Amino acid sequence: MIKSVAGTRDILPADIAKWKHLQSIVDSVFGNFNYKEIRTPIFEETALFARSIGEATDIVSKEMYTFLDRSGESLTLRPEMTAGVVRAFIEYSLDKKQNLNKLYYIGPMFRQERPQAGRFRQFYQFGAEALGGNDPLLDAEMITMAYDILAQLGLKKLWVKINSLGVPSSREKYKNILRQYLQPYFEKLTAESKKRFDTNILRLFDSKEETDLMIMENAPLLIEYLDDESLEHFEKVKQALLAAGVPFEVNSKLVRGLDYYTNTTFEIVSGSVGSQSALCGGGRYNGLVKELGGNDIPGVGFAAGIERILLACENEKSFALEDEKLDLFIVSIEKGLENFAYRTAIQFRRKGLSVDLDYLSRSVKAQMREANRINAKYVLLIGGEEFEKGEIVLKNMINGEQKNFAKDDLEKIFLSIR
Ligand code: HAM
């Protein structure tokens, strides 16, 4: 038997209601903040991700699903959306149509990571990107939207961590300072950190290894070396978060796994999902549009992992959905009435009711059991003595009341169900 690929999951009908509930909150919160949905292709030219996310990042160096198509072009299944959204923004000159573009998305991403709870190879993200503004209010808006969506899902154990990486020039100066600090400890670093020392030194703060952690404990922090403008920007982000009532903590060791960030970065972490606890992450990326061939246009955004969020919701029992109900189940009491039952069902369905009927030639008792199992609000009983008199019986499954109708008076039946 062929099974699903490791790290991929089927979302079965029993789980779809939760996904739809989440999506409806996502659509409504982004709508309230005036973000418009954008859909971009699931695969792009490989170079797009290498240039935006960064060659030395884990995502690009070891996690991308990259393949040559039949014409020999190197393509990659998107590991994230920011690159694709920025590509589309440049390609369609969206900046010519309006100065500030507020965009959001929801869809599958692909990373060849080691699968574990909360970490998949195909996973879903929702997220937003605001292109065209450097206002710290936009940074705060991203964090607020992410927080509001999680809060509306009923999640409580949330920690918002924010940091500023400053502009590239102050960051470069800081990297030298960090390098100097680390030099005497170099031999004690883990192999992975030794590698990152050269390629992506900030990521040493991400190590979970005890020896690295001890060395990084007293490392100089980027925030102490920020230029004045970045500090002022960061201060305004914090003020705006206070104004929005979003609780946060500054974590100067927060570094993100993608290279495009400048200034603000943030993550929202859950206390109820184990080690893969980052529900979302994002930040500002003022150099990315230019890097990808567009004008010098600033951007800020975030993305959130839906599987992890739903896992947190489940662990916190953060919301409960009502069982799905069917408006009407049509029970045929005897054979030979299939077409009447079917026609009746179609007519009600076309009027907007959810209707089902028996397709398995079941006994009346089994049909009633089925009506109960699928939470039918009403049952229409067709057949028997009533039918001979030209009547059908509508039974209210909630209070048990029954009412007879002329068998062709569908309008009256419809009105009592609706
Ligand atoms: P990211 O931190 O790589 O950022 O991913 C965002 C979120 O996606 C994570 O916090 C996590 O919840 C979820 N996620 C990532 N990898 C996996 C995985 N293998 N399995 C399950 N969930 C996962 C970005 O993707 C950036 N594009 C965010 C951004 C947008 N920055 C600016 N704009």
Side-chain angles (χ1 to χ4, degrees):
M1 199 200 116
I2 298 174
K3 293 208 170 149
S4 60
V5 176
T8 69
R9 286 202 327 169
D10 301 293
I11 307 162
L12 298 176
D15 287 324
I16 286 290
K18 288 182 224 152
W19 283 73
K20 284 193 171 164
H21 176 62
L22 179 142
Q23 170 135 22
S24 73
I25 292 175
V26 166
D27 286 334
S28 109
V29 170
F30 284 142
N32 292 347
F33 281 79
N34 195 27
Y35 281 68
K36 306 291 178 207
E37 188 176 353
I38 182 167
R39 300 185 187 190
T40 65
I42 277 173
F43 57 89
E44 302 266 2
E45 279 183 36
T46 303
L48 174 69
F49 301 116
R51 262 169 67 188
S52 51
I53 300 167
E55 297 276 5
T57 58
D58 285 353
I59 298 178
V60 173
S61 65
K62 23 185 200 206
E63 295 170 359
M64 294 206 301
Y65 281 99
T66 296
F67 58 97
L68 293 181
D69 76 357
R70 285 169 199 278
S71 60
E73 193 174 5
S74 179
L75 303 174
T76 294
L77 300 184
R78 63 185 187 198
E80 58 107 54
M81 274 290 278
T82 312
V85 169
V86 170
R87 196 250 329 118
F89 172 82
I90 298 168
E91 190 168 337
Y92 295 93
S93 304
L94 296 184
D95 57 320
K96 302 271 154 33
K97 298 181 180 105
Q98 56 195 66
N99 292 330
L100 177 63
N101 278 268
K102 305 215 288 183
L103 307 167
Y104 83 94
Y105 47 81
I106 185 162
M109 311 295 152
F110 306 85
R111 297 184 193 176
Q112 193 164 4
E113 296 194 75
R114 194 169 48 80
Q116 62 182 86
R119 200 206 264 162
F120 302 96
R121 291 179 166 177
Q122 173 172 337
F123 60 96
Y124 284 76
Q125 283 186 342
F126 64 81
E129 315 290 345
L131 292 154
N134 191 36
D135 193 322
L137 286 183
L138 287 169
D139 310 36
E141 182 160 292
M142 289 298 158
I143 302 169
T144 309
M145 289 192 295
Y147 185 78
D148 282 8
I149 290 170
L150 299 175
Q152 283 197 29
L153 283 163
L155 289 173
K156 300 238 152 50
K157 296 184 189 164
L158 298 174
W159 282 269
V160 180
K161 300 179 177 180
I162 64 170
N163 191 18
S164 174
L165 299 179
V167 294
S169 57
S170 62
R171 191 157 66 227
E172 283 315 310
K173 266 191 226 146
Y174 164 74
K175 280 186 186 171
N176 283 331
I177 291 163
L178 184 60
R179 221 167 266 131
Q180 276 167 22
Y181 165 82
L182 285 169
Q183 208 78 56
Y185 304 106
F186 184 80
E187 284 312 319
K188 295 203 180 103
L189 292 171
T190 56
E192 184 66 25
S193 287
K194 278 187 182 138
K195 213 160 74 196
R196 286 177 167 169
F197 181 88
D198 290 321
T199 57
N200 210 346
I201 195 163
L202 291 184
R203 296 283 288 172
L204 264 74
F205 283 109
D206 253 6
S207 174
K208 307 274 181 298
E209 303 296 330
E210 196 58 38
T211 55
D212 293 338
L213 281 172
M214 269 160 57
I215 296 169
M216 296 313 285
E217 170 119 357
N218 297 315
L221 296 173
L222 176 49
I223 200 106
E224 293 155 10
Y225 297 88
L226 283 190
D227 54 291
D228 289 345
E229 211 177 302
S230 297
L231 272 177
E232 194 189 328
H233 187 97
F234 195 41
E235 202 44 49
K236 286 183 177 161
V237 174
K238 290 192 258 178
Q239 292 306 325
L241 287 175
L242 287 172
V246 176
F248 65 89
E249 58 191 62
V250 174
N251 181 335
S252 338
K253 292 185 176 167
L254 175 71
V255 286
R256 305 253 312 121
L258 305 95
D259 279 355
Y260 47 60
Y261 293 113
T262 55
N263 292 103
T264 320
T265 54
F266 77 98
E267 277 183 9
I268 302 182
V269 168
S270 163
S272 50
V273 289
S275 66
Q276 299 304 307
S277 60
L279 300 188
C280 68
R284 186 161 273 291
Y285 47 85
N286 286 353
L288 183 58
V289 179
K290 192 157 182 232
E291 173 63 31
L292 292 178
N295 298 323
D296 193 1
I297 288 173
V300 60
F302 81 96
I306 298 182
E307 288 83 355
R308 280 184 202 178
I309 292 173
L310 289 179
L311 186 64
C313 290
E314 207 161 301
N315 291 347
E316 289 188 34
K317 301 218 177 334
S318 71
F319 65 84
L321 298 176
E322 272 187 35
D323 285 339
E324 255 181 89
K325 289 194 162 58
L326 188 79
D327 291 322
L328 178 67
F329 190 83
I330 299 179
V331 169
S332 296
I333 296 175
E334 68 242 359
K335 302 260 167 315
L337 297 173
E338 294 81 7
N339 274 335
F340 182 83
Y342 183 64
R343 195 185 68 210
T344 311
I346 294 290
Q347 283 170 331
F348 286 136
R349 286 165 172 168
R350 286 186 178 148
K351 279 172 160 299
L353 296 184
S354 57
V355 181
D356 215 345
L357 65 161
D358 180 48
Y359 299 94
L360 303 174
S361 306
R362 282 176 279 207
S363 68
V364 173
K365 215 167 137 195
Q367 290 182 60
M368 289 305 288
R369 257 203 314 271
E370 177 67 3
N372 272 316
R373 191 187 67 79
I374 59 180
N375 293 317
K377 290 190 254 181
Y378 287 89
V379 161
L380 195 61
L381 292 142
I382 294 175
E385 278 171 29
E386 268 85 4
F387 200 75
E388 276 167 30
K389 286 191 284 176
E391 289 181 346
I392 47 185
V393 180
L394 183 69
K395 178 170 180 183
N396 179 325
M397 298 293 278
I398 294 154
N399 61 19
E401 266 174 31
Q402 299 205 31
K403 220 168 144 189
N404 288 25
F405 291 86
K407 74 176 166 47
D408 295 318
D409 205 350
L410 298 186
E411 189 58 30
K412 265 209 184 120
I413 302 174
F414 173 76
L415 289 175
S416 12
I417 295 175
R418 204 185 45 167

